[in-house]
Amino acid sequence: MTESGKIPEVSLLKFLKHSANILKNPLPFHHDNFQKKGDTFRLNIGFNKSVIFSRDAGLVEYVLQKNQKNFVKSEIQTKDLVKYVGKGLLTSEGEHWKKQRKLIQPAFHKKQLANLLDSIKQAILLEYKKITVNEELDIFPVYNDLAFQTVVKSLFSSAANQEEINRLQYITEETQKMLVKELRQPYLGWWFRASGKIDSYLKLTAEARNILSKIVQERRDSQEKYDDLLDMLLEAKYDDGNFMDEEQLIDEILILFTAGHETTSNALTFTAQLLALNPQWQEKIYEEISALKEQELDLMSYVTKCQITQQVIEESMRLYPPAYFIDRVNLEEDNFEGKYFEPGSNLLFSIHEVHRHPDLWEDPDAFKPERFAEGGRKFSSQYFPFGAGPRKCIGNNFAMFEMIIAVTELVSQYKIVPGFDEIDIKPLITLKPKNAILKFQSRS
């Protein structure tokens, strides 16, 4: 390897020195390293153990799209997360992933999603009843429940009772918190195992699987059709004519809970906060939806015509991408623009940094939804809220439709006033909001 191919390094000593701060919020530490070392650096996190961090949008595109066959997901997803959610689309690799993606993809086509929009809207309106006008409220718990309920209604219609839903939500969130501890404190792995802490969370996962198995069996026994996602998953057939076995079905449902609710609740919360700070964009949305409602459109046509709302959401996900890191490991040695990556390199892409890179975005820290007036495709080589390439989030359309309905229904009912000084974040597995205190004034 030539000296020019060497990636700048951050020492293990510096990592350990800042470990307490990294546990709370790793973003300032990484930002400082990007400023000092450039767009790609190697962080040493143990003896002969390192992670390559990058905010190089060209490298992201190369790894996720142009040479994606040489890169797989890291053990964080294919091993650490698997023990809690199983081998579904998010956590699987190779032929197994291809087989599952091909099987499940039709369930997320726009034509199929159109059947779910009314259920999604009803779930949203029900959660908005928790809002009391003229009183300060942390909106994140509302959106957290809203996003989970939306996934549940889309999956199960009315098959699950509220007690089961609450328990599934609790387990989903608790196991993610445990995974964060494991990833941020790898040096305590021995203690997590020896103390029985991991085993206690695996018991929670087993409980969730039992609840889901019961719901699935009840649906099979009823022989009724609801045209929800569960029906589609139960009826989906592989090329050989076989259906998914129950264990795989439960894996996919757990993935939908994990990937489908937290990222959406984060994005909606940040969007509401940004709208509170930028009331002129609330009025632009209100004017657009008022005009659209006069046209008496079906819900799918309405959602696809809410262009200003979409711009606001896209800009929100640029500033605060819920999936703020994307990881990959290369199978064979690779080179990109003079940088050498030995086989088995752990690459971690900071989407948060890519989305705010001063060389890529004009006025990168400012909220300017108008930059997306021509649609997100204009920025496809530097904008990755749902990933990119073959592994791009299968539920991206589902999430966008859900968020557009949620934002338009909120703005049609209320004016949003901030109860915070600045937007605060809590980076866990996803980028979560903190202290999202808002006040809602009725428009009626």
Side-chain angles (χ1 to χ4, degrees):
M1 179 182 65
T2 63
E3 190 63 32
S4 63
K6 188 171 172 61
I7 296 169
E9 296 198 15
V10 177
S11 70
L12 172 60
L13 186 63
K14 186 177 180 182
F15 171 66
L16 294 174
K17 183 181 176 183
H18 292 271
S19 59
N21 289 330
I22 292 169
L23 183 61
K24 293 175 188 173
N25 180 359
L27 294 181
F29 175 74
H30 298 319
H31 181 73
D32 180 63
N33 289 325
F34 281 125
Q35 294 292 91
K36 292 175 180 174
K37 301 291 184 179
D39 288 348
T40 303
F41 65 87
R42 183 187 299 273
L43 176 64
N44 291 291
I45 59 172
F47 297 107
N48 297 317
K49 193 173 182 182
S50 65
V51 178
I52 296 170
F53 284 81
S54 184
R55 63 174 186 180
D56 182 339
L59 181 57
V60 178
E61 190 178 35
Y62 175 78
V63 168
L64 298 185
Q65 289 180 284
K66 294 179 179 177
N67 198 32
Q68 52 86 19
K69 289 184 179 178
N70 191 34
F71 293 86
V72 295
K73 293 193 171 188
S74 76
E75 287 190 354
I76 291 172
Q77 293 190 60
T78 60
K79 184 180 175 184
D80 297 324
L81 185 56
V82 161
K83 66 178 180 281
Y84 297 125
V85 298
K87 291 186 177 180
L89 269 183
L90 183 68
T91 58
S92 58
E93 277 294 347
E95 289 304 314
H96 179 64
W97 171 79
K98 286 181 187 175
K99 186 179 174 186
Q100 290 305 113
R101 180 86 183 203
K102 185 178 180 182
L103 181 76
I104 295 170
Q105 185 77 57
F108 289 90
H109 287 164
K110 286 185 179 180
K111 189 186 291 185
Q112 295 290 357
L113 293 179
N115 298 328
L116 303 175
L117 292 187
D118 282 321
S119 295
I120 290 171
K121 182 177 177 179
Q122 292 311 310
I124 288 167
L125 291 174
L126 197 61
E127 291 303 315
Y128 279 165
K129 289 183 177 179
K130 295 177 181 177
I131 294 174
T132 304
V133 294
N134 300 321
E135 289 186 12
E136 289 195 338
L137 169 76
D138 184 347
I139 196 63
F140 176 71
V142 174
Y143 276 135
N144 198 43
D145 290 348
L146 179 152
F148 200 86
Q149 291 287 349
T150 301
V151 174
V152 167
K153 295 297 182 191
S154 301
L155 259 169
F156 299 142
S157 299
S158 58
N161 64 51
Q162 195 56 49
E163 187 180 340
E164 290 170 334
I165 292 168
N166 292 344
R167 191 61 182 163
L168 287 168
Q169 184 172 346
Y170 170 80
I171 293 170
T172 300
E173 291 167 3
E174 287 303 304
T175 51
Q176 286 203 40
K177 288 177 190 173
M178 183 59 212
L179 182 58
V180 169
K181 290 179 183 177
E182 292 178 66
L183 298 179
R184 297 266 178 91
Q185 298 173 291
Y187 42 86
L188 292 181
W190 67 273
W191 167 248
F192 294 144
R193 289 187 294 273
S195 64
K197 203 169 181 67
I198 288 177
D199 283 343
S200 68
Y201 283 89
L202 292 179
K203 285 179 182 174
L204 281 179
T205 299
E207 181 187 343
R209 296 184 77 90
N210 286 335
I211 292 170
L212 293 172
S213 183
K214 173 178 163 286
I215 293 169
V216 169
Q217 192 56 52
E218 286 174 354
R219 172 63 63 85
R220 284 191 170 122
D221 291 343
S222 74
Q223 296 186 334
E224 290 184 45
K225 298 296 179 194
Y226 293 85
D227 289 328
D228 53 16
L229 287 175
L230 181 56
D231 274 354
M232 294 178 207
L233 293 174
L234 285 169
E235 292 166 9
K237 291 182 181 180
Y238 295 110
D239 290 342
D240 62 6
N242 288 323
F243 297 98
M244 253 191 289
D245 64 45
E246 182 157 316
E247 186 175 352
Q248 187 65 55
L249 178 64
I250 301 300
D251 286 353
E252 298 300 351
I253 292 172
L254 281 171
I255 290 293
L256 289 173
F257 281 152
T258 304
H261 101 275
E262 186 167 325
T263 49
T264 303
S265 59
N266 295 352
L268 282 170
T269 302
F270 287 127
T271 301
Q273 287 184 280
L274 287 163
L275 284 171
L277 295 173
N278 298 273
Q280 73 276 20
W281 283 97
Q282 294 183 48
E283 297 316 305
K284 288 179 182 181
I285 290 173
Y286 186 74
E287 289 169 13
E288 179 180 63
I289 60 182
S290 297
L292 288 173
K293 282 179 179 176
E294 290 178 5
Q295 298 179 32
E296 297 183 0
L297 302 164
D298 63 81
L299 197 46
M300 177 58 87
S301 299
Y302 169 80
V303 166
T304 54
K305 287 179 181 289
C306 290
Q307 295 301 308
I308 291 173
T309 307
Q310 182 164 330
Q311 290 167 36
V312 166
I313 293 168
E314 287 177 331
E315 177 69 344
S316 171
M317 291 193 294
R318 182 188 69 81
L319 289 168
Y320 300 99
Y324 67 113
F325 276 109
I326 294 177
D327 63 343
R328 289 295 185 270
V329 176
N330 54 313
L331 300 171
E332 298 176 4
E333 67 176 4
D334 218 321
N335 288 275
F336 180 79
E337 295 186 348
K339 288 185 173 60
Y340 172 77
F341 302 97
E342 66 271 17
S345 295
N346 286 296
L347 283 81
L348 207 53
F349 297 110
S350 176
I351 303 305
H352 183 266
E353 288 278 344
V354 172
H355 283 186
R356 290 173 179 251
H357 200 302
D359 294 345
L360 300 174
W361 305 91
E362 183 181 340
D363 211 357
D365 294 324
F367 178 68
K368 291 185 172 181
E370 66 268 24
R371 71 175 94 231
F372 286 98
E374 297 174 37
R377 286 178 185 164
K378 176 184 174 185
F379 302 110
S380 61
S381 62
Q382 64 199 56
Y383 182 62
F384 308 102
F386 296 106
R391 299 295 302 244
K392 186 175 181 177
C393 174
I394 196 172
N396 65 313
N397 285 327
F398 180 99
M400 281 303 300
F401 295 159
E402 176 188 350
M403 289 190 286
I404 288 170
I405 294 171
V407 171
T408 56
E409 288 300 325
L410 187 73
V411 172
S412 69
Q413 294 182 49
Y414 307 105
K415 290 185 178 181
I416 314 163
V417 180
F420 57 90
D421 295 322
E422 59 183 34
I423 293 176
D424 202 0
I425 58 173
K426 185 165 65 174
L428 296 175
I429 296 292
T430 59
L431 189 65
K432 295 176 80 75
K434 188 178 178 183
N435 302 323
I437 308 299
L438 300 173
K439 186 184 286 186
F440 299 90
Q441 299 171 345
S442 177
R443 284 189 181 270
S444 59

